């Protein structure tokens, strides 16, 4: 089969390579990929900006069908439609034993499409059974390919952020994560969701409006964005702010947007130190949570939300490409002309 | 003015009486009642089955307009549309200081329409400012008259029950409380709400379906209601059960309906001991919560839910009557021919 | 080696049998047992009153030293001192994925000393690596043998019960579980712990006093036990009640002991239905939790509590016996003449 | 009577003034002050660095005896020993209604010793009944005078920080707040408390050791403080970090000290922006909470902790002075030669 492989360290070194078809090992299933999304971290790996172990076929946002099962597999049969997280957590380390499998510290653990395991930008990949989740009826394979980023947001917003029904939530940054946060917040009963972005985000703010945002806010065009949030919250400020932009200035602004005793949820990574006054954390008695990745429970909730149509991720799929069009797909993502680009043909 | 007064202890002793118009005392507002609902506890007082101090004008589910303010009132002006809980909690007792104002233990405290304070089945009533909540724009006075029972359910379901987005919730008993629970659970993101009742509940189960229930269940007609719940939850059982029927058998059934590690929320009062096997609490590692009344925060959330149209209480108002028709109104409630009967004319 | 084996269904059928020494399989360690406690469920299995799959060597409360490792074992070396829960949870089922490994629903799963796996009433047993916890320095092997019941109480009290520092906690039933609850509650900052029992519990109530209880209460001798609790709590009632007796009457009494908005934690199993008035759940706005077994995190906390000497389980070890004395050991436990009987010599 | 009054805006303007004895108003009690502590915010007011409304007698950390009650007072009698928070929260604003009385937004509200109400650096002060808490038997008046700062720490640590029994907690800054945090963390079951400070803190670190700290750490003398914390936590990092120093560098260090999925509790105010990398919030999936002041429940817990001797604040009282010695007292606090200076003679 062919796979989009990061062949070696350094910028670039990304190319389609021919490799042997994988076979499922003990307790593994062989999955034929139906669709696979390009994620920001794929871009980072391309540019050698984040952790990976080459050579490795990229791709960890995927859906597929089980075509073969390895020995020891107990609950999954050939033909099952499946998704999974990227990380094969060890279950033995302190983090795993205390319920933080998303921060498993096992050395050399397999992370699909990143480290010690090829990913989903290929016709097939092998996945350990215990991290697999079955796709419920009524959820399409394309929708299921967005289960991974959705589960990240479910973890951040539904599992780690306090939102009461009727609350006003500000989402900063209308990228994939921010747009998914709009829908998850709405599904949790948010009365009003306000999405903020910069001027170049205009078209993505429009997508936000079409997918549930009650108000969008261009913080560059707006004279006083904090005042706008205040007006829409009876002077109180937002009950919760989801920082999904990764911008330094957004982090300070979150402290201004949020009400006294409110919640700030950090999803976007800055990649650098910043100048910030954290005293509002105390003056306003705030709670701030950071989140990384997903727990097994995040997937259970994600698949229920997709299955009950409480959220609809299909409007976020802006482009569908074949494996051969990978350069175009990466460029669309890097230049923010796309929300989610899916490989829909992995041959 | 005229008021529907419980004049003395004993069954009955309920009649329209002419009384002097009340005047607001220090820190009080005078409210002209717009609409007032008949509650199950009004029925109980009529039949001398619950606590009250006669003579007292009944009625504690109400909305109205402030027509006069007493000295010391600071935040409310004449013309403001308002609602309030019945109980004027003391703020000084152990319960109040630990955040349980709903269970204030002050002796002789005022409870509108029940004890030490006339209620809303009259043209006017006086209310201490600190328990008053303003009705947001866009919420009608009739809707606001249901804020009190809604706040009870918001307290039980949104403040005291674990519901994750996408969860399946069973509501037992399609009375006012149960029907409100359907909507609040849905607003919190429940993926599926199943309402159970007995055969005579059929028409109220139909209302449940019209107001958001995904499935209704006649537990008398159904051969195996537990099996039905299991089928609709992939064999797991319901994530949460809201017991709003007050039936003994429903309590045992809740333990069968609920999944392992699920939540049972008791809202309906039984008024008697029962035979029950509580070992499933342990075997299934369950959490059971009882709730009573409302906290100030329950009202904040309730008014946000009404204002953002996340819930719509108007379909629950089945009858509108004048003060003179009180006997008919009480009978409709007692015979379960009504869901909510509102006094819409208090002259 | 010799092992105490339940050979077949039916009462009795418990005897010392000679079996081959076990060898560790893939991902397993071979443990030489240092000490192993007799648990109530061992008694139940003896009398055919609970689940097990014969033939099986009993014993699941143990400590030991790793003497051999199977292939694939990564984090454990020969010589390591270890403990573990009984159940090898699957990690794949809904319960495991949502963090309730204690209620894993995998068919045919291994439960040491109960089902599909021999237990610790023998010189050796094999244990899957992923359920093993290392015993910290400074904790003796005898203390470590009580890690399993301690972890059950840590799960019930520290992970599933609300206790604020300074609170008053009532523990019902001075058996092993109740006595461990005294210490865990104290370690969590309980200001006062009251232990209740029946007259025949007198000597165990004395142990409670020696291990931290501030007051013990013979509910048969006491004219009004509820009044005593009230006197010791400024009239409020206990902040939390841990029901560890399994008596029906204790369950009703828990509802009387507890304060408004308090917490009842069910640990003891009744094995039968009972007559009870659950309306106080509502009137007092209570929370009731049942708990079963342990989570991996319960073990982490347990071993920290043992290691930091916040709890001292050694006073609960009342008898040490050899394998040949098993009949005496079982009788001591059944007749409640012992708190914890340890097999200290497994040859 | 005489009182230590901030007479007007500007630095200084602090002096002993003769004023009329106050009389209790409606719902107020008149308290004869037994002891009153000098707080950091008193220093700030002296130097015109924080909010106050002159002229005002300072002092809000106090204990005293009720010597007269105003009309309407219901639960308190002459002779009662009492303490109270400084702020008379309104109970009507959004913050109060949602349980955040510590952040009450009422305009012109009374804050004892700060705004609209004279404080406790005088023989008498008047206090609204509803904010008063009774001092339990066995707690001395000097201990009770530290109830206010203790309640602040109880709110921060016991009410807003996740600490499991057996956890390791780092407290940054051995001032009054930090030293109280040591004891409250220990009372909650912390297995190990590590206190960090700078070289000039040496004598206060010694006090920390005498009052429960397991280890103290001079971050200026220590080559690698993060490594020391790691060594004492099996390589994991601290479960929780209480930042009570107000130093910018401490805030960054907190992110290094804390374990993955740990908790950082901000108590100390910086008063300025800082350079910080917040990405560890995400990488380590942290929770950060800020806290300000106290809730009524914080006082309930504080008085229980004092009464049950789970904490002992008396070692923190390093100096006792008379009203005339106020300049010396303020200087001791400003130069960090004292932990807590009490006015023990208010004549």
């Amino acid at each position: 089969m062919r796979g989009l492989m990061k062949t070696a360290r350094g910028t670039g070194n990304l190319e389609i390579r021919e490799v042997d078809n994988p076979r499922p090992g003990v307790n593994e299933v062989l999955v034929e990929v139906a669709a696979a999304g390009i994620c920001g971290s794929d871009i980072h790996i391309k540019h050698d900006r984040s952790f990976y172990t080459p050579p490795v076929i990229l791709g960890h946002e995927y859906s597929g069908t089980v075509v073969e099962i390895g020995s020891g597999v107990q609950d999954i049969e050939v033909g099952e439609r499946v998704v999974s997280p990227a990380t094969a957590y060890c279950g033995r380390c302190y983090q795993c034993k205390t319920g933080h499998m998303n921060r498993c510290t096992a050395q050399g653990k397999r992370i699909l499409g990143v480290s010690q395991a090829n990913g989903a930008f290929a016709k097939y990949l092998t996945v350990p059974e215990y991290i697999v989740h079955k796709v419920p009826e009524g959820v399409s394979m394309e929708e299921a390919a967005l289960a991974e980023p959705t589960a990240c947001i479910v973890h951040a917003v539904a599992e780690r952020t306090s939102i009461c029904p009727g609350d006003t939530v500000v989402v900063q940054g209308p990228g994939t994560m921010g747009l998914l946060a709009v829908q998850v917040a709405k599904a949790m009963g948010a009365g009003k969701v306000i999405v903020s972005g910069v001027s170049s985000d205009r078209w993505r703010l429009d997508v936000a409006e079409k997918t549930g945002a009650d108000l969008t806010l261009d913080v560059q065009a707006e004279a006083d964005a904090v005042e706008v949030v205040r007006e829409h919250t009876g002077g109180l400020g937002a009950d919760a702010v989801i920082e999904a932009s990764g911008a330094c200035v957004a982090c300070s602004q979150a402290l201004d947007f949020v009400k006294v005793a409110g919640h700030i949820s950090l999803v976007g990574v800055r990649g650098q130190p910043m100048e910030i006054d954290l005293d509002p954390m105390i003056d306003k008695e705030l709670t701030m949570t950071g989140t990384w990745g997903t727990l097994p429970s995040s997937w259970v909730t994600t698949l229920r939300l997709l299955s009950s149509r409480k959220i609809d991720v299909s409007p976020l799929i802006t482009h569908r490409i074949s494996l051969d069009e990978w350069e175009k797909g990466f460029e669309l993502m890097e230049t923010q002309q796309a929300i989610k680009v899916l490989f829909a043909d992995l041959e």
Side-chain angles (χ1 to χ4, degrees), chain A:
Chain A
M1 68 176 191
R2 300 189 309 148
L4 180 58
M5 185 181 282
K6 177 79 178 186
T7 56
R9 296 225 163 271
T11 305
N13 295 330
L14 190 60
E15 57 185 68
I16 304 261
R17 283 272 178 97
E18 190 76 27
V19 298
D20 288 342
N21 281 7
R23 295 294 308 279
V26 177
N27 296 326
E28 287 184 349
V29 296
L30 178 68
V31 176
E32 181 175 346
V33 181
I38 302 174
C39 170
S41 60
D42 295 316
I43 310 285
H44 286 312
I45 291 173
K46 178 186 162 200
H47 294 293
D48 211 38
R49 287 193 304 243
S50 71
F51 170 76
Y52 65 99
T53 56
V56 65
I57 295 175
L58 302 190
H60 60 274
E61 300 181 357
Y62 77 98
S63 63
T65 302
V66 173
V67 290
E68 188 181 346
I69 62 172
S71 70
V73 169
Q74 297 187 41
D75 302 332
I76 295 183
E77 295 176 8
V78 168
E80 202 84 66
R81 302 189 314 148
V82 298
V83 289
S84 84
T87 300
Y89 43 92
C90 77
R92 295 183 315 270
C93 72
Y94 171 81
Q95 295 304 334
C96 282
K97 281 186 172 163
T98 53
H100 302 285
M101 298 79 169
N102 55 336
R103 303 279 57 205
C104 168
T105 56
Q107 289 302 309
K109 64 176 179 288
R110 291 171 61 179
I111 310 175
L112 303 180
V114 177
S115 179
Q116 315 292 341
N118 281 325
F121 294 165
K123 186 165 186 185
Y124 300 108
L125 84 166
T126 57
V127 188
E129 179 190 11
Y130 76 97
I131 65 169
V132 166
H133 295 260
K134 299 177 186 179
V135 177
E137 267 182 67
V139 177
S140 76
M141 286 309 243
E142 287 203 346
E143 289 168 342
L146 269 76
E148 201 274 346
T150 307
C152 289
I153 283 298
V154 161
H155 179 53
V157 178
E159 297 183 332
R160 296 259 301 151
T161 305
S162 299
I163 296 179
C164 290
D167 274 3
T168 296
V169 176
V170 169
V171 175
Q172 297 175 300
T176 305
M177 296 315 247
L179 291 169
L180 287 168
V182 172
Q183 291 201 42
V184 171
K186 276 281 174 177
M188 291 171 73
K192 202 180 284 184
V193 175
I194 301 171
V195 182
S196 70
V198 291
S199 299
S200 58
D201 285 326
R202 189 61 259 168
W203 76 275
R204 301 198 294 185
L205 292 173
D206 292 343
V207 175
E209 287 182 12
K210 278 173 201 144
T211 54
D214 298 275
L215 182 74
T216 56
L217 208 55
D218 175 343
V219 292
Q220 292 176 316
E222 197 66 56
D224 188 345
V226 173
E227 186 51 34
V228 174
V229 169
R230 210 167 276 149
E231 273 166 28
H232 281 81
T233 53
L236 295 170
D239 298 285
V241 178
I242 318 291
E243 203 307 280
S245 75
C248 293
V249 65
C251 215
S252 288
Q253 204 158 37
L255 292 162
D256 292 330
F257 282 156
V258 77
K259 75 171 178 185
V260 168
H263 194 122
I264 295 174
S265 176
L266 299 183
V267 174
V269 174
R270 258 145 296 283
Q272 57 180 310
M274 65 182 151
E275 181 90 357
I276 191 168
D277 180 359
L278 282 184
D279 282 352
M281 287 295 301
I282 293 174
D283 299 336
K284 295 171 92 169
E285 183 141 312
L286 302 178
T287 300
M288 183 186 282
T289 49
T291 52
W292 197 98
T294 65
L295 297 178
S297 57
S298 321
W299 289 79
V300 170
T301 297
T302 295
L303 293 168
R304 287 178 171 197
L305 286 173
L306 289 171
S307 164
S308 62
R309 318 307 300 176
K310 303 291 282 191
I311 62 175
D312 177 7
V313 297
S314 54
L316 307 191
I317 306 168
T318 52
H319 300 78
R320 291 163 183 83
I321 59 173
S322 68
L323 204 49
D324 288 318
E325 298 170 294
W326 72 268
E327 285 180 295
K328 178 184 150 201
F330 271 64
E331 196 194 338
L332 284 165
M333 290 298 292
E334 286 191 60
T335 54
Q336 304 196 331
Q337 297 176 68
I339 293 169
K340 184 56 68 182
V341 177
L342 281 193
F343 286 106
D345 172 6
L346 281 306
E347 290 285 344

